[in-house]
Amino acid sequence: MAMKLYGDEMSACVARVLLCLHEKNTEFELVPVNLFACHHKLPSFLSMNPFGKVPALQDDDLTLFESRAITAYIAEKHREKGTNLTRHEDSKEAAIVKLWSEVEAHHFNPAISAVIHQLIVVPLQGESPNAAIVEENLENLGKILDVYEERLGKTKYLAGDTYTLADLHHVPYTYYFMKTSHAGLINDRPNVKAWWEDLCSRPAFLKVSPGLTVAPTTN
Amino acid sequence: MVVKLYGQVTAACPQRVLLCFLEKEIEFEIIHIDLDTLEQKKPEHLLRQPFGQVPAIEDGDFKLFESRAIARYYATKYADQGTNLLGKSLEHRAIVDQWADVETHYFNTLAHPIVINLIIKPRLGEKCDVVLVEELKVKLGVVLDIYNNRLSSNRFLAGEEFTMADLTHMPAMGYLMSITDINQMVKARGSFNRWWEEISDRPSWKKLMVLAGH
């Protein structure tokens, strides 16, 4: 039976898993969860993810939430097919993949998701973006991207010479970010820009990006 | 040659790695990086950790930063030694990863600013953001209810055994339990309190507290 992924294609966290499924050529069924109708807060969904967030995954008896735990599971279960996303065959290289995955989770994600939350989610709730939060997080993001610029001057991808989960996890929020008026943070850093353009050329990205349909305000 | 851990032994992120070393019975050497004098922001340390934080490790030629990546590397490298921190099957490992990620995205996002405002800022003579702290405590209560429910039917976060999912919470929990209000919030949640009392009774935690000067 194919894996079931519960969520909506426009969710960055769902897209993170969709990218992984396509990179690993894994069959799956996307079970829609209507976020606007708050179906992710209903008991039927909370029984899969008590934090009430998409995505959740069902694979036979296993139910999983947290998009990065799901991508790690898919990448390991199907380690022998599709793109090698974890460099599992070498423990030190696998650790470097984990290192830059942690950098995404602890440094990049809090800053970029805060900007996207203000510029996309808050207006959908009928409120105005908080300019101070946007400015503070753009400043943090700039400093983080300075570190990335230096790193990507030495390696083609974050964890080395091949594309891994460390790169993949960045894609959905960066895609939304590039739709805002702050895309210069990426475009003004040549190594980061080249890395981003490479990530956008991947077949898995071309399958998933059409689903990332929410548009930010132009602040 | 033993692994060198660059960090301050009282800081939460180095403690995460130290707990892993202690659980896995791995020898280590601590090279002190003085956070009070901002040694972590100086050029020599920035070469080890470009974000200017602790910890970083050097193990011969191999260098790594990000405490959770370091802990995972050693838990994998020494899989057959000490406590099994990563899970026994593909599915169990995924549940361990899931609750470890919950620590990153739900627990730490609240615990970190609470500890900064209520413990670190007073030490540095800086002003605490009281309004923020109250908001964070409310959110923490909601998150702890979810944990409490999970731990009412599971001895540990990922099931019946202690794993990385539990370990990764411990340094911040140590700090939070020293804050009266938070301590009361924990004690008011029976299963969560039971879990904390059990994991803080582990020899690794007691050894860590001695190393940290408690």
Side-chain angles (χ1 to χ4, degrees):
Chain A
M1 196 194 304
M3 293 184 183
K4 285 186 184 174
L5 180 68
Y6 291 80
D8 190 302
E9 290 176 300
M10 67 172 169
S11 153
C13 296
V14 173
R16 192 174 283 126
V17 178
L18 288 170
L19 285 168
C20 182
L21 287 163
H22 286 298
E23 288 285 349
K24 301 305 283 178
N25 303 323
T26 303
E27 267 189 50
F28 67 95
E29 179 192 342
L30 180 65
V31 180
V33 176
N34 189 330
L35 301 177
F36 291 109
C38 289
H39 286 179
H40 52 308
K41 307 295 181 189
L42 294 175
S44 52
F45 188 83
L46 292 174
S47 65
M48 291 191 290
N49 183 353
F51 293 91
K53 299 264 178 85
V54 291
L57 184 88
Q58 279 182 342
D59 188 17
D60 290 331
D61 292 337
L62 178 69
T63 300
L64 265 190
F65 59 92
E66 285 303 310
S67 61
R68 297 166 188 80
I70 296 172
T71 58
Y73 170 71
I74 293 164
E76 189 178 339
K77 183 173 182 180
H78 297 290
R79 50 164 60 183
E80 301 307 325
K81 66 176 183 174
T83 310
N84 181 345
L85 292 173
T86 58
R87 305 236 193 90
H88 51 268
E89 66 281 2
D90 183 309
S91 62
K92 288 178 180 169
E93 292 194 16
I96 303 292
V97 175
K98 258 301 174 195
L99 185 166
W100 287 97
S101 301
E102 288 297 315
V103 168
E104 184 274 332
H106 288 279
H107 299 274
F108 184 87
N109 186 64
I112 201 169
S113 64
V115 172
I116 298 302
H117 183 79
Q118 291 301 319
L119 298 184
I120 297 184
V121 179
V122 160
L124 286 173
Q125 294 165 340
E127 312 259 345
S128 297
N130 181 319
I133 292 178
V134 173
E135 194 179 318
E136 183 188 343
N137 283 284
L138 286 174
E139 193 182 333
N140 289 343
L141 188 58
K143 291 176 189 168
I144 292 158
L145 289 174
D146 286 339
V147 175
Y148 281 35
E149 180 67 8
E150 187 169 340
R151 173 65 181 175
L152 293 164
K154 298 174 191 162
T155 54
K156 186 176 179 191
Y157 298 97
L158 284 170
D161 294 328
T162 61
Y163 178 85
T164 66
L165 286 182
D167 309 286
L168 184 155
H169 286 170
H170 289 77
V171 172
Y173 274 124
T174 307
Y175 180 78
Y176 275 132
F177 185 79
M178 296 306 281
K179 292 184 178 185
T180 73
S181 58
H182 305 291
L185 259 71
I186 302 284
N187 289 331
D188 293 346
R189 291 170 170 83
N191 298 331
V192 174
K193 183 182 177 189
W195 167 74
W196 173 243
E197 288 175 348
D198 184 290
L199 302 191
C200 294
S201 69
R202 297 184 72 84
F205 174 84
L206 298 170
K207 287 178 188 153
V208 173
S209 55
L212 292 166
T213 51
V214 196
T217 62
T218 53
N219 279 1
Chain B
M1 196 189 304
V2 299
V3 54
K4 290 181 183 164
L5 174 73
Y6 292 85
Q8 185 162 298
V9 75
T10 52
C13 292
Q15 286 186 347
R16 182 175 287 111
V17 176
L18 288 168
L19 276 171
C20 175
F21 287 161
L22 291 164
E23 286 285 343
K24 301 301 288 177
E25 298 159 17
I26 297 168
E27 275 189 57
F28 58 88
E29 181 189 350
I30 300 170
I31 314 275
H32 180 70
I33 300 292
D34 193 68
L35 302 183
D36 291 341
T37 56
L38 296 178
E39 192 179 346
Q40 74 277 23
K41 305 293 182 193
K42 296 193 176 145
E44 191 183 337
H45 188 74
L46 288 174
L47 291 174
R48 299 180 196 110
Q49 215 286 17
F51 297 96
Q53 295 173 330
V54 288
I57 61 105
E58 281 176 13
D59 193 345
D61 291 337
F62 185 57
K63 295 172 186 178
L64 209 54
F65 60 92
E66 289 301 324
S67 61
R68 294 164 187 81
I70 297 169
R72 191 163 289 267
Y73 170 69
Y74 283 96
T76 306
K77 183 178 177 183
Y78 293 92
D80 297 331
Q81 180 176 306
T83 311
N84 177 352
L85 292 174
L86 296 177
K88 293 181 174 167
S89 64
L90 172 63
E91 291 76 17
H92 189 206
R93 282 194 293 277
I95 300 290
V96 173
D97 283 353
Q98 173 185 280
W99 285 98
D101 278 7
V102 166
E103 185 271 332
T104 293
H105 297 288
Y106 292 94
F107 183 83
N108 190 56
T109 46
L110 301 173
H112 185 251
I114 289 174
V115 170
I116 292 289
N117 275 279
L118 292 183
I119 297 179
I120 307 297
K121 278 186 176 174
R123 260 189 220 161
L124 299 174
E126 287 175 25
K127 215 172 148 201
C128 157
D129 187 340
V130 176
V131 170
L132 174 67
V133 168
E134 290 313 303
E135 287 170 8
L136 292 170
K137 282 182 189 172
V138 171
K139 289 179 181 174
L140 183 65
V142 173
V143 166
L144 292 186
D145 284 341
I146 297 173
Y147 277 76
N148 193 51
N149 191 51
R150 171 69 182 174
L151 293 162
S152 67
S153 52
N154 293 272
R155 186 175 169 196
F156 299 101
L157 286 169
E160 293 312 295
E161 278 132 7
F162 178 84
T163 67
M164 190 67 76
D166 310 287
L167 184 154
T168 193
H169 287 79
M170 292 174 76
M173 276 298 298
Y175 274 98
L176 289 176
M177 291 303 283
S178 71
I179 301 167
T180 307
D181 289 0
I182 313 278
N183 191 301
Q184 287 169 354
M185 284 170 70
V186 169
K187 291 200 160 69
R189 289 160 173 86
S191 300
F192 189 80
N193 190 54
R194 186 270 310 151
W195 168 79
W196 172 245
E197 289 194 341
E198 185 166 358
I199 64 178
S200 56
D201 199 42
R202 292 180 75 82
S204 62
W205 180 254
K206 292 177 179 175
K207 283 178 195 165
L208 177 67
M209 289 298 100
V210 169
L211 278 174
H214 294 299

